[in-house]
Amino acid sequence: VAYVGQGPVSGAGHAAASAKALAMLDVIAGVGDVPGVRVCDTADALMAAHAAGEVAIIPAVENGYTIGEDIGLLARFRARGARYMTLTHNGHNALADSARPMAHLGDEAEPHGGLSTLGRAAVAEMNRLGMLVDVSHTSRKTMMQAVELSRAPVFASHSCVRALCDHPRNLDDGQLDALRACGGVIHITAMDAFLCPRDVRQTHRVGVPDFVDHIDYAVKRIGIAHVGISSDFDGGGGIEGWANAAQAPNLTAELMRRGYDHAQIAALWGGNFVRILRQAEEVAAQTQ
């Protein structure tokens, strides 16, 4: 992921963010030169890499701040392989309101009331390009408006369930229902502060069972087809029993212990994500 943290919403800030994102996407593309690694920008390429036993890298962009006020940058991101973009990070940008306004950036509570006019145009352009609209980090209004506007399923790449942990970054029941209605997916993420409230975290280390509690809740609420798994290891993620990729079997073992079958586990570990990638590709083909 080409991640750029939120900075000043200004010409200079936008220029720096755009340059950084483009440079990072170029670096990600270069990883495809490593033996056994394939950079994939379609669902078919992803599945071919998997069948060949290769590591598949799917480029993406985190934070719509990276396009500033230039919608044309989305096509440049897509040309470098990006398959989704997170509309915001922590702090508002020109596209949308974030779930977490940043006082040090002078953020008001909800300057756009969700998506800005530019943000609405960005959603349409992402649909045209086959890029998934990622609503993790966004405000509730931004997320719900994106679901309403997008012709392709909307994606929450790294979020948790608010009913189990009341954090502004998590999705409430209404948001989960909206994801199901649009065919979207929430990827539960391994961030302890999103998985358990502070008082619980003071009594025990957050671990794999806490993580799977969120999967259970989301599956019961909106169905297995709309739930997935994310780690966010490079963004502060990691919990007891799943602190790195080598410990991923611990998560599968807990899912099996709770009665999930092979097909359900495959759906959680990536099948549902592949489905919405294909759906975004189909929307793009119809649009063009």
Side-chain angles (χ1 to χ4, degrees):
V1 175
Y3 159 70
V4 179
Q6 186 62 41
V9 179
S10 64
H14 290 157
S18 301
K20 184 175 182 180
L22 289 166
M24 293 174 81
L25 287 171
D26 286 341
V27 171
I28 292 168
V31 176
D33 296 332
V34 176
V37 177
R38 190 181 307 187
V39 178
C40 303
D41 73 342
T42 67
D44 283 347
L46 170 61
M47 297 311 295
H50 177 66
E54 296 178 326
V55 174
I57 303 295
I58 306 164
V61 177
E62 185 168 14
N63 199 354
Y65 177 57
T66 53
I67 72 165
E69 297 180 335
D70 182 2
I71 292 292
L73 278 163
L74 287 169
R76 295 177 67 184
F77 291 168
R78 183 67 191 89
R80 285 165 167 79
R83 283 309 309 272
Y84 68 85
M85 183 177 76
T86 318
L87 293 176
T88 69
H89 194 255
N90 296 329
H92 309 316
N93 59 40
L95 301 184
D97 296 337
S98 167
R100 301 185 71 185
M102 294 287 103
H104 73 278
L105 295 173
D107 283 350
E108 301 173 11
E110 292 182 312
H112 302 299
L115 289 168
S116 67
T117 300
L118 183 71
R120 291 169 181 271
V123 169
E125 178 67 353
M126 291 169 73
N127 285 172
R128 187 185 74 82
L129 295 168
M131 293 177 68
L132 290 166
V133 177
D134 178 12
V135 294
S136 285
H137 282 287
T138 69
S139 73
R140 189 181 196 280
K141 287 181 181 178
T142 296
M143 183 270 181
M144 297 296 271
Q145 290 168 13
V147 167
E148 182 179 349
L149 288 169
S150 179
R151 296 177 56 225
V154 164
F155 175 48
S157 65
H158 55 305
S159 296
C160 293
V161 173
R162 194 152 190 173
L164 299 183
C165 182
D166 188 11
H167 191 288
R169 274 278 283 104
N170 288 344
L171 304 190
D172 63 29
D173 287 353
Q175 291 174 286
L176 293 175
D177 294 345
L179 273 186
R180 176 181 56 195
C182 77
V185 176
I186 176 175
H187 277 191
I188 304 302
T189 195
M191 189 73 72
D192 60 358
F194 303 165
L195 290 167
C196 294
R198 184 184 299 274
D199 59 339
V200 174
R201 300 199 308 273
Q202 291 173 342
T203 64
H204 77 278
R205 294 190 65 181
V206 178
V208 168
D210 301 296
F211 186 94
V212 180
D213 285 347
H214 283 250
I215 291 178
D216 280 346
Y217 186 97
V219 167
K220 289 173 184 175
R221 179 82 192 187
I222 59 177
I224 191 78
H226 305 287
V227 187
I229 292 168
S230 70
S231 63
D232 207 10
F233 288 145
D234 63 348
I239 54 177
E240 183 76 10
W242 193 35
N244 54 61
Q247 293 185 319
N250 294 339
L251 198 68
T252 299
E254 180 67 13
L255 290 167
M256 292 174 66
R257 190 185 69 78
R258 298 197 190 194
Y260 289 87
D261 63 27
H262 182 276
Q264 291 173 321
I265 291 170
L268 292 168
W269 269 119
N272 293 333
F273 179 68
V274 174
R275 171 181 59 79
I276 62 173
L277 275 183
R278 292 194 189 281
Q279 289 179 271
E281 291 165 12
E282 292 166 4
V283 168
Q286 294 164 3
T287 303
Q288 294 169 9

